[in-house]
Amino acid sequence: MRKTTTFAVAAGAALALVLTGCGSSAENGTAAPAGQAKDGGSGLASPFSDALKLADAAKQGTEKAKSAKMSMDMSMGGQSIKAEGAMRFDGENSAMSMTMNTPQGATEMRYVDKTLYMKVPAEQSKQFGTDKPWLKISPDAKDPMSQSFSKAMAQSTQQSDPTQILDQVSKTGQIIGADQVELNGEKVNHYKVELDVSKSIETYAKGQPAEVQEQMKKMLAGKNIKIPAEIWIDKDQLPLQVTMDQSEMMKQLGAPSAAGGGKVTVKYTDWGQPVDVAAPSADQVTDFGEIMKKMGR
């Protein structure tokens, strides 16, 4: 049905953004030979050569900061998707606010108290038979679609910490190059990494509904898929930019080759600044589970 399909596309794209937490296409920088500090008093240490040490240091940095603002550019299904927002990385108390712009219009998301709220374009709201701008997806909803989105969002929000890409590096990849560059006037360590999907397909399917995970595992099994990524990290071991190109994996998952997609660039700013996310006012919200009940889902 078009109503649920439209919602699934919007939610699926939003979840993909959160799950990825990383992207592709690099910014120009002035490189120094790998392993040679070029800090000029900035306090920037030499780049790590070991993926586990890099992941551990970055985890400590983000666990201390706990929050950041972000902007994302993503290609999906032949379309350009842009998003910006802020996230608080705090386990079960994690929260997020994000606005995603697509050719179909803007979608705003808020995730707070384990509940997802989505503000879709007015035309899409009408398809659900409501004039209220926000849809609420509760973690205790009974309908299958709400349950799937809620579980995926809970997991993906906890995974939205950008060190997840570093976990992927430590489990499925390796650092293939490192140097020191200037990014937006700041000297940072720049890493080039390569991820081997076949080493842990579960890592890339994690956070998706069970049936989606199984389908991904079947489609990716036995495939020699390498994902190139780049990471820019400051002197406090905080990611400032992460890029990834999942084009080959998307192709193997059945995305039309002509449509392109899978390339994402994520930039982080304002590390450690407070992030407050509030639920929309109750009179502006419709429970998505109730909508599904009326539709017989």
Side-chain angles (χ1 to χ4, degrees):
M1 183 175 290
R2 187 168 183 267
K3 295 176 182 178
T4 53
T5 300
T6 300
F7 178 80
V9 170
L15 288 174
L17 289 170
V18 179
L19 280 165
T20 306
C22 41
S24 91
S25 88
E27 292 208 5
N28 293 329
T30 305
Q36 295 184 15
K38 196 188 73 169
D39 56 31
S42 68
L44 183 67
S46 296
F48 290 100
S49 58
D50 182 272
L52 286 172
K53 291 181 179 179
L54 169 61
D56 183 62
K59 282 182 182 179
Q60 292 184 41
T62 58
E63 285 173 359
K64 182 178 179 180
K66 287 193 174 182
S67 63
K69 291 183 180 179
M70 74 181 77
S71 63
M72 302 186 197
D73 285 285
M74 180 178 186
S75 60
M76 177 183 289
Q79 297 183 350
S80 175
I81 299 173
K82 296 181 181 294
E84 61 180 21
M87 285 196 272
R88 183 173 70 240
F89 316 115
D90 192 18
E92 291 190 352
N93 295 318
S94 295
M96 177 198 67
S97 63
M98 181 182 294
T99 300
M100 179 178 65
N101 294 296
T102 72
Q104 288 73 39
T107 297
E108 184 178 349
M109 291 199 317
R110 296 181 193 176
Y111 183 77
V112 59
D113 296 330
K114 301 180 182 179
T115 301
L116 172 64
Y117 300 89
M118 292 188 66
K119 185 178 183 180
V120 298
E123 182 179 343
Q124 294 181 19
S125 292
K126 291 179 181 178
Q127 294 177 15
F128 292 110
T130 178
D131 58 357
K132 295 181 179 180
W134 289 90
L135 300 175
K136 174 184 177 181
I137 302 178
S138 303
D140 56 355
K142 303 302 182 184
D143 66 283
M145 183 171 286
S146 292
Q147 289 179 352
S148 293
F149 283 135
S150 185
K151 289 178 182 178
M153 196 67 195
Q155 293 174 4
S156 62
T157 300
Q158 292 181 32
Q159 294 169 18
S160 61
D161 184 325
T163 58
Q164 288 300 312
I165 176 61
L166 299 169
D167 274 339
Q168 292 179 10
V169 171
S170 66
K171 293 176 182 177
T172 71
Q174 60 181 337
I175 297 172
I176 60 174
D179 55 16
Q180 295 188 328
V181 304
E182 286 193 3
L183 181 69
N184 301 324
E186 180 178 358
K187 291 179 180 178
V188 300
N189 285 327
H190 168 231
Y191 298 90
K192 291 185 178 180
V193 301
E194 185 178 72
L195 311 177
D196 186 343
V197 176
S198 65
K199 288 185 177 180
S200 179
I201 296 175
E202 292 79 4
T203 298
Y204 299 90
K206 188 177 180 181
Q208 298 290 340
E211 62 272 18
V212 176
Q213 290 190 39
E214 288 305 313
Q215 186 176 16
M216 287 181 67
K217 290 176 186 178
K218 289 179 181 179
M219 296 180 77
L220 297 177
K223 303 291 178 61
N224 183 26
I225 302 173
K226 301 294 194 298
I227 297 177
E230 298 185 57
I231 308 165
W232 290 256
I233 294 181
D234 71 5
K235 63 182 178 61
D236 297 316
Q237 305 302 337
L238 294 171
L240 301 182
Q241 180 169 291
V242 188
T243 71
M244 182 182 286
D245 185 350
Q246 300 184 87
S247 301
E248 181 60 27
M249 186 172 73
M250 298 293 288
K251 180 180 177 182
Q252 295 297 332
L253 287 173
S257 57
K263 297 182 178 181
V264 189
T265 298
V266 183
K267 299 178 182 180
Y268 297 94
T269 61
D270 296 331
W271 278 102
Q273 296 300 309
V275 172
D276 296 317
V277 182
S281 153
D283 62 356
Q284 297 294 304
V285 174
T286 298
D287 191 295
F288 187 69
E290 292 300 316
I291 292 175
M292 292 292 97
K293 186 185 298 184
K294 292 178 181 178
M295 295 172 61
R297 296 302 181 95

